[in-house]
Amino acid sequence: MSSTQSFLFVSKDILNSGIRHISGNVPFYTQTETGWFNKKQTTVLHGTSGDQGGAASVLGVIDWKHEEFEVHGQRKKLSEICYKPGWLMSKTREWTWGVGAQKFSVEWENNTWIMETLPQKSREAMLSPFASHWFTKDEAATVEISPKADQFHVVFMILILCYMETKRLEQRRNAGNAAVISAVQ
C-alpha cells in the first residue's frame, strides 16, 4: 500500500492495548472484559479525543460470548458478516457489513493478515502481529489502513484484524496443547 494510516499496538496483547498512530497520538485503545476462567466476554475499541485527559467513546465491540460485532452502535451476528468461501480448509474469510456494502477478503499470508476489497482485490489493510525475539528488540503488532477508508471502515477493519489474529493465536495454542497431551499419553 502506498501512503497508509499506520498504527502500532503499544502492548503485545492486542486486545488490551493502546493503538498509537505513527505520528505519536493514541486515537484508539482496546480493552477486553473476561469472565470465569479468563474466558473473553467482550473486546471494546475505544476512541480517544486526542489529549490524555479526554473522554473515550465506544467505537466498536467484539462480543465473543454472543458472537456479535458492533460498529458505531450497529450490532450484527458474526454469521451475518463473515463467511468462509470455497472449500472446507480455506483460510480466507470474507467480511461485509451488509447487503450492498463493501466486501473484504482477509487471508493469512507470509506472517501478515492481508485485507483486500472484493472483487477489485485492492489492498485495504494489513496487520503484522507481535513478534518476540530472543536477542533483538521485540516487534510490536502494526496495522496499516488505506487512507481512503472512512471512520466506520477503519473501526470495522481494526475489529476484523484483531478477531482474526486472536483466533489464529488460539488455534496455535490449542494445537500446541493437543501435542503436549498426546505426548504425555
Side-chain angles (χ1 to χ4, degrees):
M1 290 188 323
S2 51
S3 77
T4 60
Q5 300 179 66
S6 297
F7 301 95
L8 179 82
F9 284 85
V10 176
S11 167
K12 72 178 186 175
D13 177 4
I14 62 172
L15 299 182
N16 288 295
S17 180
I19 304 173
R20 188 174 71 220
H21 190 270
I22 204 75
S23 68
N25 67 332
V26 181
F28 310 111
Y29 68 94
T30 55
Q31 185 176 23
T32 299
E33 184 180 301
T34 56
W36 287 89
F37 303 107
N38 212 26
K39 189 167 173 73
K40 292 182 299 302
Q41 301 292 312
T42 58
T43 298
V44 179
L45 178 65
H46 295 277
T48 62
S49 64
D51 56 327
Q52 295 292 51
S57 59
V58 174
L59 300 176
V61 177
I62 301 172
D63 186 333
W64 301 95
K65 184 177 178 181
H66 298 105
E67 296 186 335
E68 295 177 332
F69 270 53
E70 180 180 312
V71 179
H72 293 294
Q74 298 176 42
R75 187 173 278 262
K76 296 204 179 207
K77 285 279 190 199
L78 182 62
S79 59
E80 293 176 46
I81 60 174
C82 177
Y83 68 97
K84 185 189 320 187
W87 56 291
L88 184 62
M89 300 302 287
S90 172
K91 293 198 185 280
T92 301
R93 298 292 180 274
E94 291 185 4
W95 294 79
T96 186
W97 191 253
V99 178
Q102 179 64 61
K103 282 187 180 180
F104 299 100
S105 168
V106 182
E107 188 169 8
W108 179 247
E109 186 178 299
N110 298 322
N111 293 324
T112 302
W113 287 106
I114 307 291
M115 179 180 276
E116 297 177 324
T117 58
L118 291 175
Q120 304 90 341
K121 290 287 208 180
S122 67
R123 188 166 291 176
E124 287 297 307
M126 296 173 28
L127 179 129
S128 299
F130 173 82
S132 178
H133 300 292
W134 286 84
F135 301 108
T136 59
K137 188 176 178 184
D138 292 343
E139 295 174 51
T142 58
V143 174
E144 294 182 23
I145 298 176
S146 167
K148 298 180 293 184
D150 60 22
Q151 180 71 11
F152 181 91
H153 284 99
V154 168
V155 170
F156 190 40
M157 288 183 221
I158 290 173
L159 291 176
I160 290 169
L161 293 169
C162 285
Y163 178 87
M164 296 295 286
E165 176 60 5
T166 300
K167 289 298 188 178
R168 183 188 72 82
L169 291 173
E170 286 174 355
Q171 263 187 337
R172 192 173 79 177
R173 192 170 24 257
N174 291 341
N177 291 344
V180 169
I181 291 168
S182 66
V184 170
Q185 294 177 348

